[in-house]
Amino acid sequence: MKVPLSRPWVTEDDIEAVEEVLRTPNLSLGPKLVEFESMLAQVAQRKYAVAVNSGTSALHLIIRSLGIKDGDEVITTPFSFIASSNCILFERATPMFVDIKPDTYNINPALIEKSITDKTKAILAVDVFGQPADWDKLTAIAKKHNLYLIEDSAESIGSEYKGRKAGSFGDAAIFGFYPNKQITIGEGGVILTDDENIYKLSKSMRNQGRGEDEEWLYHVRLGYNYRVSDINCALGISQLKRLDEIIEMRGRVANIYSQKLSEIKELIPPYISLDTTRMSWFVYVVRLSEEFDAIKRDLIIQKLGERGIQTREYFSPIHLQPFYVEKFHFKQGDYPVTDFVSDRTISLPFYTTMSKEEVDFVVSNLKEVIYEVEKF
Ligand SMILES: *Cc1c(COP(=O)(O)O)cnc(C)c1O
């Protein structure tokens, strides 16, 4: 048996939806874009949605729409995917990292205020692995210090925090639709906001800085080609119709994992704050107990690979990526909770259609491999 880290779920209905749009003349900026955006605004309980060609593009357009620029600082987490910090660098602003909470791995609100300076313009928090960050606390801090609040909800479509949807917090939020996400359109992302100004600016900058009437050779500001085709949007519409089913199926896989893994005393399962969170699972990430280190963890990943099971260290923290080390001289230990956690986490195979047999296969092999490495 071979078990991949992730696998998109594309149905015959999805394929038909894509085929159908290919028989029309509207392959970009057509009716599928409008329909996809209106569904996304609803999923995130927002007024506006602007669909683009990636989650990274969506983050970039939010940074630009807020006017964050050279010399500004944005508070964010080092325990994330590189894009949530790179979008700040795109505009030559500085990411100011704040360490995470040891249970949920989300940014620790208690550490934020001491990192605020007179250059701070925004807080960019991430809903890590699908679990919303502490939005009540983050909103209060942002309000008190007059900062913009940005939600990277790329991993949390459909999740809820205190009964409110992921993507509904902050001045603007994003979802991402890469093939490993809960919903995929191949490549794509979306900006979600209630702010008319962010909406208008994002829409213009996605489309080469064209004016509101989208006249083709009239450009009122610096823009990009961040458009997403109607082919992708048709797939997105078809996938979004199954969002509730997808969340339920992934929840079932996570439950099977949690039950099986309780037998392995060396593993700390994902912690979900049940009184605030309703989970839309993005990935299933376990942590090895303290006696293990990154070398042993990597050995476990390698040995699982030899047995046909694909796993990954996740996240590999942003501040220790080579070009961040070169630019900012970060080192191990700068963010002790992030460094401790990221040395010991393993992302296990996880996807909507994963079977009980596949989970069993992963868990029994994981058990054996951990035992081998412990003896090592
Ligand atoms: C997936 C993801 C993104 C967006 O990624 P793209 O590949 O550009 O769509 C952004 N932030 C986080 C935390 C993500 O997991």
Side-chain angles (χ1 to χ4, degrees), residues 32-33 82 100 104 140 144 160 194 272 293 304 319 333 339:
K32 296 297 171 190
L33 173 65
I82 191 88
I100 56 171
T104 63
K144 180 173 163 198
E160 288 176 16
D194 297 319
I272 306 303
D293 56 14
L304 285 169
H319 66 287
D339 292 343

Side-chain angles (χ1 to χ4, degrees), residues 144-164:
K144 180 173 163 198
H145 296 273
N146 200 21
L147 304 174
Y148 294 122
L149 187 56
I150 304 165
E151 180 182 10
D152 182 343
S153 36
E155 304 190 345
S156 60
I157 186 168
S159 285
E160 288 176 16
Y161 170 81
K162 298 188 181 174
R164 266 181 72 183

